[in-house]
Amino acid sequence: MTSVSTSPSQAAPVDVPEPAEIRRWATEQGILILAHSYQDGFIQECAHFVGDSLELARYAAEEDAEAICFAGVHFMAETAKLLNPSARVFVPDMEAGCSLASSCKGADLATYQQHLEQKLGKRPVTVAYINCTAEVKALCDIICTSGNAREVVDSIPQDQPILFVPDMHLGGWLNEVTGREMILWNGACQVHELFSVDTLRALQAEHPGCITISHPECPKAVRDASDHVLGTAGMLRMVKQQEGQTFLVGTEGNMIYRLEREAPQNTYIPAPGASCACNLCPFMALNTPEKLWACLQERGPEVTVPAELFEPARASLQRMLAL
Ligand code: 13P
Ligand code: SF4
């Protein structure tokens, strides 16, 4: 079965070599290119490794690269630096942030943790979704990603109160599937929050028998209208096991490129937002092929982590990887 051509992925780069040539050149220069699945298709093709947040963190920790060019958003590059301190980490665009990371400032989190400690008579364990700054990672006890959040929460003793930051939708889903009553920070992904459940239901009616997969960053109404709630790596695993199936995909639009590339035997339809036909992360989109190529050649801009945050932030990440 052919795939519908709904991928927004192929940019038309100007004065940039072909992806294979970029990757070859980077290899020669000792630079490892990592890309998140929400990157433009051209950038995914340039990468030595494409993955979800968890796979990228593990990959960065295990590779003994002298330099990493991270095509993703800032917190991901920061994570790579924390897990591989001896590597220099470059990003195509320093402004590639994340609405979740910016919703939770370290000072606000510290104040809230103190408030909860007074109110509950004991300090809650703080679990932070990896989509947060190094400052927040340094203040929390353990990190999780969408790929391991359930296991991380289940690893915390039942009698222990938990504060979950910064994604209220992922936190709400975790409360449902683990039976916990975690206290949730009020943050959201500005991309996933815009998915429209009405349009999703209309698409489901148009494609009887389709399977709807949505990311846990989606609001409850969208999750409830889905057959499976999965992180991006989980989505990929699921579609690879199917043949000739139609999937409605409730996550960032470039994920379709990855799914079509790795499991072309199915059809993928992006779940639309309330006011647009696609759901592209504006922060991920700041990384263009031109900026990637310039970043490799200039070896910059470079991501650094303030010395006082380094060890506590790294420790929170390592507790996750040790699970
Ligand atoms: P995963 O890579 O864990 O699926 O998360 C998606 C995301 O929003 C990253 O910013
Ligand atoms: Fe952040 Fe959402 Fe973009 Fe992911 S898709 S980087 S959570 S704004």
Side-chain angles (χ1 to χ4, degrees), residues 36 38 72-73 75-76 97-101 129 131 167 188-192 217 251-252 280-284:
H36 191 269
Y38 291 171
V73 291
F75 76 81
M76 296 178 177
C98 168
S99 67
L100 276 169
Y129 187 30
N131 296 35
D167 188 349
C189 161
Q190 70 179 59
V191 179
H192 289 86
E217 288 175 13
T251 195
E252 207 271 355
L280 299 182
C281 173
F283 303 109
M284 292 278 181

Side-chain angles (χ1 to χ4, degrees), residues 2 39-40 43 60 65 74 101-102 120 141-142 167 171 198-199 208 216 218 227 232 246-247 253 266 284 299 304 307:
T2 51
Q39 287 291 283
D40 169 270
I43 293 179
H74 189 268
S102 56
L120 303 172
D141 298 288
I142 187 163
D167 188 349
D198 294 337
T199 327
C218 291
D227 297 299
T232 52
T246 297
F247 287 93
N266 301 306
M284 292 278 181
R299 293 185 165 246
T304 53

Side-chain angles (χ1 to χ4, degrees), residues 186-239:
N186 193 21
C189 161
Q190 70 179 59
V191 179
H192 289 86
E193 187 151 74
L194 287 182
F195 286 107
S196 153
V197 71
D198 294 337
T199 327
L200 183 63
R201 293 232 185 259
L203 275 174
Q204 287 169 333
E206 246 178 73
H207 300 276
C210 70
I211 298 176
T212 304
I213 48 179
S214 70
H215 199 278
E217 288 175 13
C218 291
K220 179 169 169 54
V222 173
R223 297 195 311 266
D224 285 351
S226 305
D227 297 299
H228 302 278
V229 178
L230 299 160
T232 52
M235 288 181 180
L236 196 56
R237 274 195 298 276
M238 165 160 283
V239 303

